[in-house]
Amino acid sequence: MNSHEENFAKALEWTEKLRGRYLHTLATFRIFERFKKRSAPNIVGRKKAEANARIFSQNIYFFAPLQEAARCYFFVELAKFFDPNPRKQSLTVDLLLDLVDKHLASFSKEKFLEYHSARHFIPELFEHYEAFSRADLQKIRQRLARNKRTIANLKNYRDQILVHADIKPTEVHITGPQIKVLLRIVKDTVDLFYKRLDFASNDYRNYDQEPVFAVDNVMKFLQEHEEERVRKIYTEYGH
């Protein structure tokens, strides 16, 4: 394997690893978000929100730690995508960008075909393939720069509160929309690299939608169980 193939293989391997981390981060975010929405009257309605709140309170020693674990895991994992990385020892979005930027000649259309020599591409489809350009990388870097303050706040929150217990942590404010912007940057980076390195796309439905369905199913089963419990009590003791 020559140096160009090594660079290409490394970029694809790193992209796959980032994608795996993103999928689990996304799923955890959807779980945490769904639990919050289940008890929000303006989203699910007053009656459903009250019924869900009763289920949560009846199982508080399960749901409270579960939601907190999901919240902490999500923020810690999200911060890892944007960590400062002076010694290049952590796999971050910026490190992946640097790899391609420093070895752009390894990612031409010609090098793509050499790396994927065992694959067959439909000519009509492959006409639409585009190799990496520095403009691709610059667009992502510009988005990182625009969100520099949010990324710094996320790092402080992770370092001082989530993984350490600083006595006087820096006060930070991170909003839901800001978090979704950072998630989108990671997703768009992964999608771009898969398109350029593998001429492929990603399907996120299992990690984006299935966790929501799972939370809803758990709540449905618990509510049905509670209704049956109340019915039995009424049947046995009611008049």
Side-chain angles (χ1 to χ4, degrees), residues 179-194:
I179 290 303
K180 290 180 179 179
V181 167
L182 296 187
L183 273 175
R184 186 73 186 187
I185 291 174
V186 178
K187 177 185 179 297
D188 289 348
T189 301
V190 170
D191 285 346
L192 172 66
F193 273 69
Y194 261 99

Side-chain angles (χ1 to χ4, degrees), residues 184-216:
R184 186 73 186 187
I185 291 174
V186 178
K187 177 185 179 297
D188 289 348
T189 301
V190 170
D191 285 346
L192 172 66
F193 273 69
Y194 261 99
K195 188 175 182 180
R196 299 290 190 256
L197 297 173
D198 203 45
F199 197 45
S201 59
N202 294 294
D203 187 346
Y204 297 101
R205 285 175 294 182
N206 285 344
Y207 290 83
D208 191 20
Q209 299 175 11
E210 290 300 324
V212 174
F213 297 152
V215 171
D216 288 348

Side-chain angles (χ1 to χ4, degrees), residues 146-174:
R146 287 197 299 270
N147 292 278
K148 185 177 180 180
R149 177 172 294 182
T150 301
I151 292 171
N153 285 340
L154 177 62
K155 181 182 184 301
N156 286 335
Y157 183 61
R158 187 270 311 271
D159 292 350
Q160 299 180 26
I161 297 175
L162 296 182
V163 299
H164 295 97
D166 286 19
I167 295 174
K168 295 182 179 180
T170 302
E171 184 176 351
V172 298
H173 299 281
I174 304 175

